[in-house]
Amino acid sequence: MDLSKYSRCLIGNYGAPPVAFDRGEGTRIWDTEGNEYLDFSSGIAVNCLGHSHPKWVSAVQKQASKLVHCTNLFAIPEQARLAERLTAKAGTGRMLFCNSGAEANEALIKLARLYGRSKAGGQEGKVVKIVATEGDFHGRTYGAMSATSGSKVRSGFAPLAPGFAFAKFNELASFQALLDEDTAAVLIEPIQGEGGIRETKDNVLRGIGQLCHERGILLMVDEVQSGMGRTGRFFSYEKAGIKPDAISLAKGLGGGFPIGAIWVKESHADLFQPGSHGTTFGGSPLACAAAHAVLDVIEEEELIEKVALQGASFKADLETLSAKYPDLVQEIRGRGYFLAMSMKVPCGDFVTALREGGLIVVPAGGDSVRMLPPLNATKGDISEALGIIAKTLSTFPTVPKQ
Ligand SMILES: *Cc1c(COP(=O)(O)O)cnc(C)c1O
């Protein structure tokens, strides 16, 4: 397609796109010129079953011909069943559905403020502080943006929502210093996605969990990118053995159909009372059918177990490969199918070179190449990707980082 049309009729907030895609199947995607690529971006962790998985397609088609949307003022059986399936994974509690990651985090932020009011004996505006983490990303809406420390996200939008403080990444003492009697909640990504696949250490997560528990502070975990099996566990926080009070989910949940959700522990599930929150589209029959298909395929194809095993060998192979290019590669991070290769050379140029070699990945954290294969990517797909990465490394110019 004529990409110049883009800048004529679309706002430039995503920058100028390099190619246009019009078809996908499994781990493959084709551009409008007919070139085939191996897609290890999954549309940023969204297409967790790859493109057009037959079971997903048939579930969505079937539901579309039955009932697409009613409203949350009526009962939606698929929504209750989806809530049951997700609470079976998260623990005793209840769900609320929405349409995106930012919206899920907005719901968590509002939950925290309601919780703060209940903690202050019903007085509003006293216990409001939400302690988030430097470098985390929670979305682009006002609350979620205010909960995000990065200047790239916040810049130009002052005044931001008040009541947020930022603890230093991976520093328990910094959380400890900020968690006071005015604090309602902590909001944290167990592994930063946009930040470049940076893991909070298990003992730091456990320490934060302990502090929250002792001080009656909500522990709210953002699993929008890291959830849905991506790290080789259903939720990434499971590795540290912590027990959150609330969780946000989105990206992979609908396998490409927009749906987000929050899970709230049973003891806090009544903070939202009738009329206190809502959304027109959230948890529609169609969105829920898409999410059911994702959960079905994850279970039937035992994808989480495969992601854990194959992700570990993918990471090991990336480490072996990158050791040959100490001038190009800084390090390999992450787990499961949630991996990053941080570069000593401009990462955007490297991402472009990989695409020209036939591999789609996305940058993260300014210096990292993020690899998010669909959860059903096979060993064969991974070795093909490794081949493209090896070839690209072997021909990439070594320019020192400024
Ligand atoms: C992508 C992302 C969000 C925002 O989700 P949107 O669907 O883009 O609003 C929030 N949190 C994390 C961790 C994310 O990766």
Side-chain angles (χ1 to χ4, degrees), residues 14 44-46 99-105 136-141 144 148 188-195 222-227 248-251 258-260 338 370:
Y14 299 109
I44 316 189
V46 168
N99 308 286
S100 68
E103 241 187 281
N105 287 327
D136 278 16
F137 177 80
H138 299 297
R140 301 288 192 158
T141 51
T148 300
I188 187 165
E189 274 185 278
I191 305 186
Q192 294 178 343
E194 297 307 307
D222 182 344
E223 290 275 352
V224 168
Q225 191 161 162
S226 56
S248 55
L249 260 184
K251 290 196 166 87
I259 179 170
F338 201 38
R370 185 169 26 160

Side-chain angles (χ1 to χ4, degrees), residues 16 35 55 60 81 87 106 130 144 157 159 195 220 227 278 282 285 293 298 302 307 318 321 333 344 384 386-387 391:
N35 299 306
K55 289 212 168 127
V60 168
R81 203 162 58 81
T87 49
E106 290 294 328
I130 295 171
F157 300 111
M220 311 195 299
I298 286 178
E302 296 175 341
V307 165
L318 282 170
L321 178 60
R333 289 189 298 267
K344 291 180 178 169
E384 194 181 330
L386 282 163
K391 199 168 161 212

